[in-house]
Amino acid sequence: MTKQLMIYERAVPVSSQSHREWSVKMGNNYSFANSVNSVPLLAAEFRTAAQEYAIVFAGDGNDVVPSVILGVRDGENSNVDVDGAWTGNYVPAFLRRYPFVFSRSDDQKEFVLCIDESFDGFNTDGKGERLFDSEGERTAFLKDKLTFVSEYQTLFERTAVFCKRLQEHNLLDEAQAQFNLADGQTAALSGFFTINREKLKALPSEVLLEMMGTDELELCYAHLFSLGNLTPMAQKVTGSAPQVSATAKKKTTAKAKTKTDA
């Protein structure tokens, strides 16, 4: 089965045979995400996320997805404190669905609900919410999680359509951000893409009208607006503002790269 890696260490299909006696104790500890500096973002999250995070596009070739930048250094999430608490106002849906995730079956025709068995709250001590009742049927808790992950998948596929539109019109330019660190050294966040504002404005009127009708134009400007959040984030961590610049378009291994599987 294909599935996202990133924050998932041991994701396996949920089944009454394997997990009938298991429970999940959810909480507000996001330590599992303290080493990711970006995660995928759904188009439906743009309006809220743009208020405090920088939204970029990450990936290679045809696999490009919106991503939210959570840290200026590779392997560092500045929104998780030493106790695992989330310090930002909004938690991306990618993280809120953890420890659950969909995997595609080997024939790519079906989605299977999986759970990360390495999750600290996954237990056989009866703590939290059971996955299955005494009859081996899904509990209300598991049904709720299945609904959430299903809705996430639907929104992910809609987001992919938006990204395809951007690529079809050649609107994405590779960019990078450089930061001056407190010790005098510099760091760079690279391998991500941003929308070229001038190319967007130069699109034929009929294309812009269509994008307006699908709310895709609003998403474009929400992304461009959000890039201003790089400055306060960088100042909080490094004490200086970043220098963001577009670079020649080419395939690279991205520092802010995120997996593109749903």
Side-chain angles (χ1 to χ4, degrees):
M1 291 185 178
T2 58
K3 50 184 171 287
Q4 289 170 326
L5 299 178
M6 295 188 73
I7 57 178
Y8 296 88
E9 296 181 17
R10 196 167 68 250
V12 299
V14 176
S15 70
S16 58
Q17 290 77 20
S18 301
H19 305 120
R20 186 162 177 165
E21 304 301 323
W22 286 81
S23 299
V24 176
K25 182 175 176 57
M26 304 294 289
N28 295 316
N29 191 310
Y30 289 90
S31 295
F32 63 85
N34 61 10
S35 62
V36 290
N37 72 337
S38 66
V39 296
L41 194 73
L42 301 172
E45 300 179 271
F46 272 39
R47 293 179 186 175
T48 303
Q51 301 302 312
E52 60 177 322
Y53 304 113
I55 301 170
V56 298
F57 296 85
D60 292 314
N62 294 323
D63 296 322
V64 177
V65 297
S67 300
V68 59
I69 295 180
L70 301 173
V72 299
R73 301 185 183 93
D74 193 23
E76 179 183 285
N77 184 345
S78 60
N79 292 276
V80 179
D81 66 18
V82 294
D83 296 319
W86 191 266
T87 60
N89 294 316
Y90 181 72
V91 182
F94 181 87
L95 300 178
R96 283 187 280 119
R97 70 175 176 170
Y98 184 81
F100 297 94
V101 66
F102 264 152
S103 290
R104 285 186 183 273
S105 58
D106 293 331
D107 60 9
Q108 302 292 305
K109 294 182 179 180
E110 297 180 348
F111 286 102
V112 179
L113 183 67
C114 294
I115 188 170
D116 189 352
E117 290 186 331
S118 68
F119 175 54
D120 289 341
F122 193 47
N123 68 91
T124 55
D125 302 322
K127 297 178 180 178
E129 303 285 347
R130 286 182 62 107
L131 297 176
F132 298 92
D133 61 22
S134 59
E135 301 297 323
E137 299 295 326
R138 294 171 179 168
T139 61
F141 169 78
L142 182 57
K143 290 178 181 178
D144 179 66
K145 294 304 176 183
L146 178 59
T147 297
F148 181 85
V149 176
S150 297
E151 291 175 347
Y152 182 97
Q153 183 63 35
T154 298
L155 292 173
F156 180 89
E157 292 171 0
R158 291 178 183 173
T159 302
V161 173
F162 168 57
C163 291
K164 289 295 184 183
R165 169 96 70 174
L166 299 180
Q167 292 179 292
E168 288 172 2
H169 294 290
N170 194 32
L171 295 177
L172 296 175
D173 286 346
E174 189 171 357
Q176 65 178 1
Q178 294 185 336
F179 308 90
N180 296 315
L181 305 180
D183 59 6
Q185 297 184 340
T186 60
L189 191 64
S190 60
F192 63 88
F193 300 87
T194 58
I195 292 175
N196 185 307
R197 185 187 295 267
E198 296 307 314
K199 290 181 181 178
L200 178 63
K201 291 166 59 178
L203 287 176
S205 58
E206 61 271 20
V207 175
L208 289 172
L209 185 61
E210 183 179 356
M211 291 179 68
M212 182 182 299
T214 59
D215 292 332
E216 292 174 329
L217 192 59
E218 181 180 354
L219 295 177
C220 291
Y221 282 105
H223 148 71
L224 291 169
F225 166 82
S226 77
L227 296 178
N229 291 320
L230 274 175
T231 296
M233 182 183 70
Q235 290 176 330
K236 176 182 176 181
V237 177
T238 68
S240 64
Q243 294 181 331
V244 183
S245 60
T247 61
K249 209 170 185 181
K250 58 183 179 180
K251 293 183 178 180
T252 64
T253 300
K255 293 284 186 177
K257 181 180 177 183
T258 56
K259 302 293 285 185
T260 57
D261 307 66

